[in-house]
């Protein structure tokens, strides 16, 4: 039987075992009590339907389906209605539903002319509105059998380059033959390119990879063993995608209209997602990378910064004593003030206990007058009038980054509309409107953002796969390959069902029991949804013309270290079509040989078999930039770099608590120390302002100024006291005094970020803690909170060498004095001369950029004694051997 079906016996056995409960249920029929339940459900559905029909009749309305059904009935009853349509052309026919099919049939019969249908079964993705591909499949079979119809095959793709055509045929062809196309009774028709076109060869020689795979996996906290949260992994993946897009920009793509190569711009790139849950991570990553992007149909209106600013304005106008709201508004780009001035105003000394509002009036009389005028307008004409006024002052947006302005203006207009709707419904109360919008903001209610870009705007488009139907882009990234799709209905007790009206998951009064009808429903409906999910992936992939980037989160089996994609995800489909692809994508060691017979080729899968591996080859990928921390870790040990960067095992070795001492520690506390040192005046008074002993009363403001992740260590009394004592003692050390002196002279520059691109090489990037320049040269300090242990010192010195290489390019000929400063002891460790060769640093950064994506990642046995990852590394070494 397995041979006949073209399956391996083990696979067939597994499949049949899965089907056994369903088969048993079908043979035995439903038990008595479930039959009773089905009767009740059918009656309830009947009552609901009758009530629905009655409600429509009472209000004189027709649903969209009624329009189609009644039109078909009208034509059936009176063919004269259809006679004027002699020839019918139906496009996208794979998405028709039975009602539409009935109307088409009635019109065709009445007109008596020709019916011309165009469609692609592989692209049927509208099941949620009852599209039924089997209808089109039946027409195709009729035409293929020559029953009064002609079948014209359009298999040439003028959209995709050859590598993509092969990729799509490779995975979808086998899937179609084995699963999707079987019950439709229509064979897979492989796509092919126009290989006789004179430009075809040139079109395929772009030099970029046709398919790229970006995979991440959930990391585990090395100390607590806790799994990383999904949003954090999504963000990491989105960051990699942003880097990928940045590196593609300017590379060649094929201009279909003009038949020539041209450079890629942002608007040639699109990100397609199965659902908008992917939007927040993508938005944050693109913003951080400076990539202009529009999110079509985004639900993120109430999480936008400008909406926050406008709500702050309305709150401040409603109650000028609300210092937080006023500060929020003043710090926004709309206020016209510069952020530093606002910070000084909010944090500066207030000896006479004056309020922020009073200080604002004194310091900025012009801006305060404008604010007063806005308040009068808000009180007299309502909140919407104020927002309209801002819209009429385009200069209000000038302080915002250029690419953000159209979005901000569109959101401002949307906020004005919401304020108007609020006033119309609930009166013109400024305070109530501000509170209502503020509450939506706090809860980040999903609300669609307006679309605000023109066709030609040079921005990346981010949209759902459904919204991309009919579109094409030179570069397409499909994000969410780990998504399991819709319609699983897990966790609900009553499931609507097209075939069975509705099914209850369990029997009433018998918690945990399994109703049999659910098995029937899943076999029919969920199978159909799964198949549509697979077709959706086909639609997503075939939007790409030149480059397809596939992104997903792939679980790894903790026991065997194997990629373990969840069933039903696009990742699992890829793995079935191209075995070993996920392993390569995750950069796991190649599959160990387990012995036994090699798998036999299966009938029906020859085409996929030939393709074996996902065509990820082509140009060797390189890292676009190398950071100081990358460089330091790579210098410590290439394998350690890989463990942290690719497998997510943190190597900083900063335990939350220093073992045996109870002394606080951890990466967050180190970050808090750096944050304080970035603005500290090197005095105890200034320390009291930034990190007070307690956060009572006005000191609470200091806490609010910290980013959320730093608030936890700042709130902890033990951490705070520890850090305060370390910094107070540091003031008395020679290093502390030297830094204080440089600060007093106004020479100290802190948290200076840099990005220096090497010719034909990566960009060197990082942030320098502190440096100053005097007659002797450039002095650079890198702070360390931890002890000068082996690893901290080794990586710290490499970081210094990296900064030294950058400074020697930025300040050629100047003497460099580079040192690590250990805050707890005030110790200074200068960069030894043998590490300070800029040429060697650049060569190593180039080496990291070259092998950072593909490896090999060698070991550095000299670092092993200091490495906190010996066990993890040993495990992975063992796995390799
Ligand atoms: S144990 Fe040694 S080889 Fe392994 S990562 Fe650490 S330093 Fe590298």
């Amino acid at each position: 039987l397995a041979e006949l079906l073209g399956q391996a016996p083990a696979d067939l056995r597994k499949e049949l075992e899965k089907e056994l409960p369903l088969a048993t249920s079908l043979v035995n029929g439903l038990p008595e009590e479930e039959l009773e339940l089905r009767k009740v459900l059918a009656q309830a559905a009947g009552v609901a339907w009758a009530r629905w029909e009655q409600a429509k009749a009472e209000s004189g309305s027709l649903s969209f389906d009624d329009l189609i059904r009644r039109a078909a009935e009208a034509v059936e009853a009176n063919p004269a209605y259809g006679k004027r349509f002699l020839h019918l052309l139906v496009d996208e026919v794979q998405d028709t539903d039975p009602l539409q099919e009935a109307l088409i049939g009635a019109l065709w019969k009445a007109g008596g002319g020709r019916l011309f249908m165009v469609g692609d079964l592989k692209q049927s993705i509208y099941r949620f509105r009852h599209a039924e591909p089997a209808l089109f499949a039946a027409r195709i079979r009729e035409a293929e059998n020559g029953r009064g119809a002609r079948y014209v095959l359009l298999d040439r793709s003028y959209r995709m380059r050859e590598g993509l055509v092969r990729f799509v045929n490779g995975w979808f062809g086998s899937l179609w033959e084995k699963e999707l196309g079987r019950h439709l009774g229509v064979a897979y028709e492989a796509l092919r390119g126009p290989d006789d076109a004179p430009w075809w060869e040139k079109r395929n020689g772009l030099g970029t990879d046709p398919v790229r795979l970006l995979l991440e996996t959930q990391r585990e906290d090395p100390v607590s063993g806790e799994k990383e949260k999904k949003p954090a992994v999504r963000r990491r993946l989105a960051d990699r995608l942003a880097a990928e897009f940045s590196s593609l920009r300017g590379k060649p793509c094929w201009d279909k209209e003009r038949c020539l190569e041209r450079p890629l711009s942002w608007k040639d790139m699109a990100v397609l997602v199965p659902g908008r849950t992917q939007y927040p991570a993508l938005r944050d990553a693109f913003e951080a990378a400076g990539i202009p992007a529009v999110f079509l149909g985004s639900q993120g209106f109430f999480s936008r910064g400008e909406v926050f600013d406008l709500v702050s304005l309305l709150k401040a106008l409603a109650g000028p004593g609300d210092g937080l709201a006023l500060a929020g508004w003043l710090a926004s780009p709309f206020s016209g003030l510069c952020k530093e001035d606002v910070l000084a105003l909010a944090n500066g000394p207030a000896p006479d206990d004056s309020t922020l509002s009073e200080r604002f009036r004194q310091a900025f009389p012009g801006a305060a007058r404008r604010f007063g005028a806005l308040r009068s307008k808000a009180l007299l004409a309502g909140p919407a009038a104020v927002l309209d006024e801002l819209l009429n002052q385009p200069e209000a947006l000038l302080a915002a980054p250029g690419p953000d302005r159209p979005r901000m203006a569109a959101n401002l207009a949307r906020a004005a509309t919401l304020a108007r709707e609020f006033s119309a419904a609930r009166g013109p109360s400024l305070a109530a409107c501000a509170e209502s919008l503020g509450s939506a903001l706090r809860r980040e209610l999903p609300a669609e953002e307006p679309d605000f870009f023109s066709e030609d705007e040079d921005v990346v488009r981010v949209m759902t796969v459904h919204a991309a139907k009919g579109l094409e882009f030179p570069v397409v990234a499909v994000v969410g390959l780990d998504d399991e799709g819709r319609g699983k209905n897990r966790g609900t007790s009553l499931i609507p069902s097209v075939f069975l009206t509705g099914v209850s998951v369990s029997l009433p009064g018998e918690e945990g029991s399994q109703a049999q009808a659910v098995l029937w429903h899943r076999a029919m409906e969920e199978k159909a949804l799964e198949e549509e999910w697979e077709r959706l992936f086909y639609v997503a992939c075939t939007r790409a013309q030149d480059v397809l980037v596939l992104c997903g989160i792939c679980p790894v089996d903790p026991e065997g270290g194997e990629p373990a994609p969840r069933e039903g995800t696009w990742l699992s489909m890829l793995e079935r079509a191209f075995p070993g692809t996920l392993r390569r994508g995750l950069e796991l060691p190649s599959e160990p040989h387990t012995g036994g017979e090699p798998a036999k080729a299966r009938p029906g899968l020859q085409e996929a078999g030939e393709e074996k591996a996902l065509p990820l080859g082509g140009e060797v990928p390189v890292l676009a930039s190398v950071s100081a921390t990358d460089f330091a870790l790579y210098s410590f040990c290439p394998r350690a770099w890989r463990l942290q960067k690719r497998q997510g095992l943190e190597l900083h070795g900063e335990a939350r608590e220093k073992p045996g001492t109870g002394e606080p520690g951890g990466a967050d506390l180190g970050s808090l120390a750096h944050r304080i040192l970035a603005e500290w005046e090197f005095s105890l008074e200034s320390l009291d302002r930034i990190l007070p002993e307690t956060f009572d009363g006005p000191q609470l403001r200091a806490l609010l100024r910290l980013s959320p992740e730093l608030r936890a260590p700042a709130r902890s009394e033990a951490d705070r006291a520890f850090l305060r004592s370390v910094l107070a003692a540091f003031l008395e050390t020679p290093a502390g005094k030297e830094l204080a002196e440089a600060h007093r002279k106004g020479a100290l520059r802190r948290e200076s970020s840099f990005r220096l691109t090497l010719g034909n090489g990566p960009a060197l990037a990082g942030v320098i803690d502190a440096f100053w320049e005097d007659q002797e040269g450039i002095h650079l300090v890198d702070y360390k909170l931890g002890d000068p242990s082996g690893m901290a010192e080794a990586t710290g010195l490499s970081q210094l060498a990296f900064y030294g290489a950058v400074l020697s390019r930025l300040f050629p000929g100047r003497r460099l004095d580079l040192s690590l400063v250990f805050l707890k002891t005030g110790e200074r460790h200068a960069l030894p001369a043998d590490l300070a060769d800029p040429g060697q640093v650049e060569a190593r950064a180039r080496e990291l950029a070259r092998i950072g994506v593909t490896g090999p990642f060698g070991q550095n046995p000299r670092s092993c004694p200091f490495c906190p990852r010996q066990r993890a590394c040993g495990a992975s070494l063992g796995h390799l051997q």
Side-chain angles (χ1 to χ4, degrees):
L1 188 60
E3 212 164 278
L4 270 177
L5 291 170
Q7 276 181 288
D11 289 355
L12 181 66
R13 193 179 312 120
K14 252 194 238 160
E15 225 172 76
L16 291 178
E17 271 167 11
K18 261 201 280 175
E19 307 289 342
L20 193 59
L22 172 68
T24 315
S25 165
L26 286 171
V27 170
N28 295 343
L30 296 179
E32 201 56 43
E33 67 271 34
E34 193 169 345
L35 278 175
E36 199 53 39
L37 174 64
R38 293 223 44 76
K39 209 160 95 186
V40 174
L41 281 175
Q43 281 168 346
V47 170
W49 189 260
R51 183 68 194 95
W52 162 237
E53 290 294 335
Q54 188 190 352
K56 282 189 292 180
E58 281 167 8
S59 62
S61 20
L62 292 172
S63 70
F64 189 67
D65 284 348
D66 290 334
L67 295 177
I68 299 171
R69 180 169 55 87
R70 295 208 179 184
E73 285 168 3
V75 178
E76 286 274 2
N78 186 352
Y81 289 136
K83 278 218 180 320
R84 56 198 166 124
F85 303 113
L86 184 55
H87 301 297
L88 293 180
L89 164 58
V90 188
D91 197 7
E92 303 283 4
V93 72
Q94 75 280 355
D95 288 324
T96 47
D97 62 36
L99 286 180
Q100 292 166 329
E101 167 80 6
L103 175 58
I104 293 165
L107 287 171
W108 184 35
K109 199 167 135 199
R114 174 170 288 179
L115 174 61
F116 182 65
M117 300 175 121
V118 185
D120 181 358
L121 275 177
K122 304 187 286 298
Q123 298 199 42
S124 177
I125 56 170
Y126 287 101
R127 190 175 165 75
F128 66 88
R129 56 174 206 224
H130 308 307
E132 183 41 82
L135 298 170
F136 185 35
R139 298 272 189 190
I140 294 175
R141 286 199 305 273
E142 274 172 32
E144 280 180 334
N145 295 335
R147 285 192 223 135
R150 191 152 73 92
Y151 179 64
V152 181
L153 173 64
L154 301 173
D155 60 349
R156 282 201 162 194
S157 167
Y158 287 82
R159 173 181 295 164
M160 291 186 282
R161 74 200 264 195
E162 194 176 19
L164 284 172
V165 169
R166 273 194 288 123
F167 166 69
V168 169
N169 283 335
W171 71 264
F172 201 74
S174 67
L175 190 70
W176 187 270
E177 290 300 328
K178 203 175 159 207
E179 300 171 20
L180 287 175
R182 272 194 170 184
H183 72 263
L184 293 174
V186 177
Y188 182 72
E189 285 145 353
L191 295 172
R192 61 194 180 100
D195 42 17
D196 50 356
W199 41 263
W200 182 239
E201 203 172 317
K202 192 167 173 219
R203 189 251 179 285
N204 288 313
L206 293 176
T208 45
D209 297 341
V211 187
R212 302 271 291 132
L213 184 61
L214 303 184
L215 292 183
E216 282 290 341
T217 193
Q218 259 175 312
R219 296 173 177 178
E220 211 166 80
D221 186 294
V223 180
S224 67
E226 240 174 63
K227 274 251 177 184
E228 192 180 17
K229 298 268 183 301
K230 199 95 181 260
V233 198
R234 275 202 187 133
R235 173 61 200 270
R236 212 170 49 244
L237 191 57
D239 284 336
R240 284 181 64 196
L241 178 60
E244 185 75 23
F245 273 17
S246 300
S247 72
L248 281 169
R249 192 170 172 232
K251 297 241 169 86
C253 68
W254 184 251
D255 190 316
K256 231 166 81 170
E257 272 75 45
R258 294 185 294 162
C259 276
L260 46 81
E261 282 182 16
R262 64 170 173 78
L264 279 165
S265 53
W266 294 129
K267 68 172 184 290
D268 295 316
M269 307 188 203
V271 183
L272 308 187
V273 294
R276 295 190 190 105
T277 45
Q278 304 281 348
Y279 275 16
L282 289 165
R283 181 182 292 122
D284 292 348
F286 282 10
E287 265 176 23
I291 297 177
V294 288
F295 290 76
L296 300 180
S298 162
Q299 300 281 316
F301 177 77
F302 281 115
S303 47
R304 282 292 187 188
E306 58 271 19
V307 180
F308 184 89
D309 294 339
L310 298 174
V311 171
S312 292
L313 170 66
L314 294 182
K315 281 184 170 175
L317 292 175
D322 183 342
L324 206 57
L326 183 60
W329 162 249
L330 295 178
S332 79
F334 298 104
S335 74
L337 300 180
C338 100
K339 242 183 193 153
E340 285 67 31
D341 288 345
V342 178
L343 265 181
L345 189 73
N347 300 320
D352 52 355
D353 278 342
S354 57
T355 63
L356 179 66
S357 168
E358 286 160 353
R359 295 206 298 283
F360 167 49
R361 276 204 302 277
Q362 262 178 13
F364 304 103
R369 267 197 304 282
R370 279 198 303 280
F371 182 77
L374 284 177
R375 181 152 198 265
S376 308
K377 185 151 213 158
L379 294 173
L380 287 170
V386 172
L387 302 180
D388 283 340
E389 171 129 351
L390 283 183
L391 260 181
N392 291 332
Q393 298 170 1
E395 65 276 8
L397 293 169
L398 287 183
D404 292 348
R405 286 177 203 153
R407 187 205 68 224
M408 291 173 75
N411 279 341
L412 181 49
R414 167 65 56 89
T417 306
L418 287 178
R420 209 168 287 115
E421 283 170 2
F422 182 89
S423 301
R426 300 188 30 203
S429 163
L430 179 58
C433 179
E435 179 46 38
S436 165
L437 290 176
S439 151
L441 200 72
R442 274 195 303 280
R443 289 181 288 148
E444 290 197 10
L445 284 187
E448 200 159 305
E449 277 192 277
D451 292 339
F452 49 83
F453 69 102
S454 69
E455 272 299 297
D456 294 331
E457 208 159 327
D458 192 19
V459 291
V460 172
R461 271 73 166 159
V462 186
M463 64 188 91
T464 60
V465 183
H466 279 95
K469 187 97 188 283
L471 302 179
E472 59 186 12
F473 299 90
V475 176
V476 166
V478 183
V479 174
L481 265 68
D482 46 297
D483 207 317
E484 281 176 281
R486 291 185 305 260
K488 295 285 182 200
N489 286 308
R490 305 284 185 244
T492 50
S493 54
L494 195 61
I495 307 172
S497 171
V498 171
F499 302 108
L500 300 170
T501 311
V503 287
S504 170
V505 173
S506 57
L507 298 177
E510 291 181 39
E511 220 166 285
S513 61
Q514 159 91 70
Q516 304 284 305
V518 174
L519 300 173
W520 302 6
H521 162 77
R522 290 199 173 132
M524 292 187 284
E525 199 132 343
E526 291 194 0
K527 185 75 191 144
L529 285 169
E530 270 167 35
E531 289 179 354
E532 176 167 276
W533 187 241
E534 291 166 346
R535 292 192 295 266
L536 193 69
F537 189 37
Y538 175 87
V539 171
C541 293
T542 50
R543 302 306 94 197
Q545 295 171 288
D546 298 327
V547 176
L548 176 66
V549 187
L550 301 171
C551 312
I553 301 170
C554 182
V556 174
D557 172 18
E559 299 296 316
E562 294 293 313
R566 279 193 307 277
E567 249 331 289
T569 60
W570 293 341
L571 282 177
S572 70
M573 289 163 57
L574 269 188
E575 185 63 17
R576 262 182 286 150
F578 304 107
T581 289
L582 301 184
R583 173 170 281 286
R584 287 202 305 147
L586 285 167
E587 294 176 22
L588 297 172
S590 58
E591 203 166 2
H593 180 61
T594 50
E597 290 291 307
K600 282 195 186 121
R602 298 173 201 165
L605 290 179
Q606 297 303 340
E607 234 182 284
E610 278 158 26
E611 287 281 342
K612 279 222 171 67
L614 182 61
L616 300 174
E619 218 175 59
V620 179
V622 294
L623 298 178
S625 72
V626 170
S627 72
T629 42
D630 277 335
F631 178 84
L633 196 52
Y634 181 77
S635 304
F636 180 75
C637 171
R639 173 148 301 158
W641 184 85
R642 181 196 139 159
L643 283 173
Q644 175 154 321
K645 292 289 168 175
R646 296 276 178 250
Q647 284 171 249
L649 299 170
E650 290 291 335
L651 274 114
H652 49 66
E654 289 188 64
R656 180 76 201 111
E657 199 170 84
K658 204 173 148 196
T661 65
E663 199 174 87
D668 287 348
L669 195 60
S671 304
L672 179 61
H674 276 78
R675 169 79 172 76
I676 291 165
L677 283 155
E679 57 178 89
W680 192 25
E681 309 278 339
F682 296 93
S683 70
L684 292 178
E685 298 72 39
S686 147
L687 186 58
D688 282 342
R689 265 199 309 281
I690 305 172
L691 190 69
E693 266 186 280
T694 60
F695 281 115
D696 294 337
Q699 276 95 353
L700 192 61
R701 235 186 307 161
L703 185 67
L704 295 178
R705 286 179 48 225
L706 295 173
S707 56
E709 69 278 7
L710 296 184
R711 286 180 200 160
R715 268 205 194 95
S716 149
E717 260 180 44
D719 285 6
R720 212 166 55 237
F722 169 74
L723 201 52
R724 280 176 56 84
S725 75
V726 164
L727 292 175
F730 177 64
L731 271 185
E732 302 306 320
T733 64
K737 287 179 180 158
E738 202 179 335
L739 278 155
E741 179 63 9
H743 173 62
R744 196 185 57 73
K745 287 182 178 161
L748 192 63
R749 293 171 64 180
R750 293 182 272 187
E751 296 287 304
S752 310
S753 60
F754 61 84
R755 188 178 176 86
L756 181 101
T757 305
L758 300 177
N760 281 332
L764 305 185
V767 180
I768 293 173
D769 285 347
F771 81 98
W772 70 97
E773 194 178 358
D774 60 19
Q775 286 164 340
E776 290 171 21
I778 312 288
H779 309 268
L780 179 145
V781 160
D782 192 59
Y783 302 119
K784 296 282 170 218
L785 183 62
D787 292 319
S789 72
M791 182 171 181
E793 184 170 24
T795 52
L797 291 177
S798 296
Q799 250 171 298
L800 282 186
F802 186 87
Y803 296 141
V806 172
L807 289 180
S808 64
R809 279 194 179 252
L810 296 177
F811 301 93
R814 299 298 318 264
R815 195 182 79 82
L816 298 179
D817 159 37
L818 314 166
S819 53
L820 297 178
V821 165
F822 291 88
L823 295 167
K824 278 197 282 191
T825 57
E827 260 174 82
R828 275 181 89 143
H829 292 199
L831 180 67
D834 61 326
L835 293 181
D837 178 354
Q840 274 187 14
V841 170
E842 289 186 9
R844 183 169 294 167
R846 285 177 195 278
E847 177 188 303
L848 169 54
R850 211 174 47 249
I851 73 162
V853 178
T854 55
F857 302 97
Q859 300 162 261
N860 181 3
R862 275 183 306 167
S863 294
C864 297
F866 313 105
C867 179
R869 279 288 156 210
Q870 279 176 39
R871 273 185 60 199
C873 174
S876 91
L877 285 174
H879 194 72
L880 275 175
Q881 278 156 6

